């Protein structure tokens, strides 16, 4: 060549790639959660924004801090720390003291993610560890700060606390719940749309489905895990006389579509995913009906996270046997 | 629609439209550099010297060493001209190899190929001999000497010949053009190979994105009225359909077990371009002299399908194709999935070179990778059911010798897994490292990469 020979990249093949990168996946999940949080702000007030900021800052601070201590390259841009913060906030009640989400996220990132080696190496879903930690240390603040849903009231003059439907059912029993809540189609409609007291992320089944739809369309999540969780819970809920009540309340939808589908902590093969999901659903139901907590999805997912490595080992891709070297 | 049983990837845009409508153009450079190593194994021994005049088709490298054949193939002069030197030259795969540089004589007359009398009914051994002395190797990229592949070991019988016209790599269209423009030669070649193997069933596998080629072939087949009559089978467009084992699955449903060859399930696969070469060798005793290849990508100004003498330098082809764009970031010899990046352009085209791609930065996968996030996409994409994620994790941790149960040995490096990996992990390279460590018996590891995805 006569002209100066240009420099060419010498990286190995394949030279093409498809689909989203890790970073893009994380940010898409963050985006898909936006409608849910906007709705929560509109019904519980602007306070939710501060709860969210607190949670996300806690996660970012923790990850940055650990990376710094270990002289690692910063990983904040990959969106996974932000996601953990947002997911944790989704499981909290809107009236929670502002410093708590920060603490929860910090613990979640440091102990459940970074100490295991960072993204990809953790066993438990960090956001759920954060919630379990807060539940264990500040049970009162975690269980009494639910707010009444007042749509459109971005700046409510006062916060009105109200127990969640599941709490009422657990604490006061079925007959009393029927009296207080009505359990008619209007009640179930409100559950579906999200006009009730509850955790920030769990209120509106409709918006959860919207976000999940986006992720399904983008090929980021797949249906086996969420559907089998709902099926598993449904199976148990039949024993409760109010199966629909159980299926529409609590963080089941949020957990099924956004928590249990976390790649790192869920099994990979479709068969294992169905078993994983069914077990999560069954355990959730058992905790709710016979356990001490009104809610159960958080612990159910954490328990099954622990089984994931074993499931991955049992359900490996099958392939024909090696039959000697070619002649 | 026929396709292989598991895994694989579909391309959103296979980029073939850049060249699929362009007829094959002939280009003869002023000088060719013919490497004496064009297949696995020992290089051919040069039998020409500086200043010697050679004719197109003359043998310039013998596949013998110390009086015995090496199991390789001879090398021929692809142009008429004068030998300038026999020296070490850059090589697309081996970095460097001994090569014969010939200056083309621009006034040389076209070589005339005389028909071998009774070529259609030559005995099987004679046909094989002509294929061997024509220096034919698998033109799909494997470059294994064809006469050796066609010589079945005692006791092994095949019942089906498959012609591979899948051309599943994006960008490449040279086989497509070959099917359109030389369908009769392809069919003749198929018939001759079937005769050598003694099989009566011929299947021609073509991907759906080349329907026109399939139509042309079908018409040619009905015109010929000969038996055995080949059957054209359209397959779903899916990578790596052009890999032997996948194509066999797609066309016959037979699964070649790991560690076995197609002939063990009664099948022989030959590339369509190889079939044409065999036909020319048997009918005219014409050696393998030219290579049809696709020159494509957004980095080349005039993408084309070209037919060039073997030994043509990439830089000459670039000039013939209008030059390269200034934003060209990567040059690949072969397809974008399994091809290799070139660092320089003074590299010759060899027998197995199916394409030259000039890619701009936006067409190229970026190579900064992060940790595996266990998304399972690679498991879904692997056509063999291997576990590239595990191989990469073990190798990264310095335990490459413990990866055998994940299928390291079986991997044929198609790259489907790395293509879909969201963490952009170089899974194929991890597998290559692990394979290497089996050979040397020592653990290989890799320093933990910077995680700045
Ligand atoms: S490169 Fe190997 S491991 Fe990856 S998909 Fe292809 S055969 Fe499977
Ligand atoms: S595709 Fe990449 S990130 Fe996903 S499991 Fe395979 S190696 Fe891990």
């Amino acid at each position: 060549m006569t002209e100066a020979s240009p420099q060419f990249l010498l990286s190995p093949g394949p030279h093409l790639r498809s689909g989203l990168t890790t970073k893009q996946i994380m940010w898409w999940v963050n985006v898909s959660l936006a409608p849910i949080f906007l709705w929560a702000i509109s019904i519980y007030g602007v306070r939710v924004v501060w709860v969210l900021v607190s949670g996300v800052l806690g996660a970012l601070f923790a990850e940055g801090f650990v990376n710094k201590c270990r002289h690692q390259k910063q990983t904040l841009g990959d969106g996974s720390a932000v996601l953990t913060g947002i997911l944790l906030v989704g499981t909290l009640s809107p009236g929670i003291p502002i410093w708590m989400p920060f603490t929860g996220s910090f613990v979640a990132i440091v102990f459940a993610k970074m100490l295991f080696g960072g993204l990809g190496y953790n066993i438990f879903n960090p956001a759920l560890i954060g919630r379990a930690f807060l539940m264990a240390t500040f049970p009162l603040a975690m269980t009494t700060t639910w707010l009444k849903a007042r749509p459109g009231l971005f700046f409510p003059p006062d916060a009105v606390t109200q127990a969640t439907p599941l709490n009422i059912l657990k604490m006061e029993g079925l007959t009393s719940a029927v009296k207080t809540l009505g359990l008619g189609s209007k009640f179930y409609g409100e559950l579906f749309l999200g006009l009730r007291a509850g955790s920030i992320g769990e209120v509106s089944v409709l918006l959860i489905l919207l976000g999940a739809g986006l992720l399904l369309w983008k090929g980021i999540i797949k249906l086996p895990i969420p559907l089998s969780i709902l099926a598993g819970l449904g199976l148990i809920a039949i024993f409760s006389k109010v199966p629909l009540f159980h299926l529409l309340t609590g963080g089941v939808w949020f957990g099924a579509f956004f928590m249990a589908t976390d790649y790192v902590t869920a099994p990979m093969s479709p068969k294992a995913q169905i078993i994983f999901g069914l077990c999560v659903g069954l355990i959730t139901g058992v905790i709710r009906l016979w356990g001490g907590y009104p809610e159960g999805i958080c612990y159910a997912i954490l328990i099954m996270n622990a089984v994931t490595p074993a499931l991955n080992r049992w359900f490996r891709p099958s392939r024909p046997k090696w039959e000697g070297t070619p002649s | 629609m026929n396709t292989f049983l598991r895994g694989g990837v579909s391309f959103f845009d296979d980029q073939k439209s850049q060249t699929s409508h362009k007829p094959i153009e002939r280009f003869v450079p002023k000088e060719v550099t013919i490497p004496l190593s064009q297949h696995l194994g020992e290089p051919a021994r040069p039998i020409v010297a500086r200043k010697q005049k050679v004719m197109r088709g003359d043998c310039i490298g013998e596949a013998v060493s110390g009086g015995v054949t090496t199991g390789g193939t001879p090398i021929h002069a692809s142009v008429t001209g004068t030998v300038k030197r026999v020296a070490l030259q850059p090589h697309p795969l081996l970095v460097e190899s001994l090569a014969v540089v010939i200056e083309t004589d621009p006034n040389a007359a076209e070589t005339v190929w005389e028909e071998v009398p009774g070529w259609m009914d030559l005995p099987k051994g004679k046909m094989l001999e002509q294929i061997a002395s024509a220096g034919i190797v698998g033109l799909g990229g494997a470059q294994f000497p064809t006469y050796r592949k066609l010589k079945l070991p005692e006791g092994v019988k095949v019942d089906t010949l498959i012609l591979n016209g899948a051309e599943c790599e994006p960008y490449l269209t040279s086989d497509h053009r070959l099917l359109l423009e030389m369908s009769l030669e392809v069919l003749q070649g198929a018939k001759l190979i079937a005769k050598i193997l003694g099989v009566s069933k011929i299947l021609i596998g073509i991907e759906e994105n080349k329907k026109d080629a399939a139509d042309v072939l079908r018409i040619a087949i009905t015109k010929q009225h000969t038996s055995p009559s080949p059957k054209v089978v359209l397959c779903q467009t899916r990578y790596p359909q052009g890999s032997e084992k996948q194509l066999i699955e797609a066309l016959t449903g037979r699964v070649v077990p790991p560690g076995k060859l197609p002939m063990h399930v009664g099948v022989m696969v030959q590339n369509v371009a190889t079939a044409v070469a065999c036909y020319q060798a048997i009918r005219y005793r014409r050696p393998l002299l030219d290579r049809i290849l696709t020159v494509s990508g957004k980095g080349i100004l005039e993408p084309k399908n070209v037919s060039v003498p073997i030994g043509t330098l990439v830089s000459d082809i670039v000039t013939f194709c209008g030059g390269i764009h200034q934003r060209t970031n990567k040059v690949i010899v072969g397809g974008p999935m399994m091809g290799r990046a070139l660092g320089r352009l003074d590299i010759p085209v060899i027998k197995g070179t199916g394409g030259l791609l000039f890619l701009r930065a936006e067409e190229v996968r970026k190579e900064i990778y992060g940790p595996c996030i266990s998304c399972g996409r690679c498991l879904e994409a692997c056509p063999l059911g291997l576990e590239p994620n595990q191989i990469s994790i073990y190798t990264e941790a310095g335990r490459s010798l413990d990866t055998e149960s994940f299928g390291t040995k079986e991997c044929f490096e198609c790259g489907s897994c790395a293509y879909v990996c969201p963490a952009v992990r170089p899974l194929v390279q991890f597998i290559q490292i692990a394979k290497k460590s089996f050979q040397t018996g020592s653990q290989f590891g890799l320093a933990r990469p910077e995680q700045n995805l």
Side-chain angles (χ1 to χ4, degrees), chain A residues 268, chain B residues 372-378 389 421-423 425 427:
Chain A
M268 287 181 272
Chain B
C372 169
I373 54 169
S374 304
C375 66
R377 284 176 170 78
C378 55
N389 55 337
C421 176
R425 290 172 73 74
L427 298 169

Side-chain angles (χ1 to χ4, degrees), chain B residues 22 32 50 56 66 98 146 203 221 235 248 279 298 321 338 342 344 356-357 359 364-365 443 448 450:
Chain B
K22 304 225 170 132
V32 292
R50 207 167 92 85
R56 178 164 149 94
L98 205 58
T146 302
L203 301 174
I221 290 168
C235 309
I248 293 169
Y279 158 72
K298 295 214 172 64
C321 293
M338 294 180 80
L342 291 183
R344 51 201 291 182
L356 279 176
L357 304 179
L359 303 183
V364 178
R365 148 192 162 106
Q443 294 278 19
R448 182 91 185 275
E450 291 186 324

Side-chain angles (χ1 to χ4, degrees), chain B residues 240-286:
Chain B
Q241 195 120 243
S243 145
E244 281 196 344
K245 292 187 177 181
Q246 274 58 48
L247 194 66
I248 293 169
E249 276 181 25
L251 298 192
T252 66
R254 298 180 201 173
V255 177
V256 184
K260 291 279 175 189
L261 292 173
M263 61 183 175
H264 296 127
V265 296
V267 184
M268 167 71 61
V269 182
Q270 290 289 348
N271 175 269
V272 286
T274 317
V276 173
C278 289
Y279 158 72
Q280 291 171 336
I282 292 169
R283 178 159 182 183
Y284 300 108
R285 272 207 198 90
R286 183 189 143 141

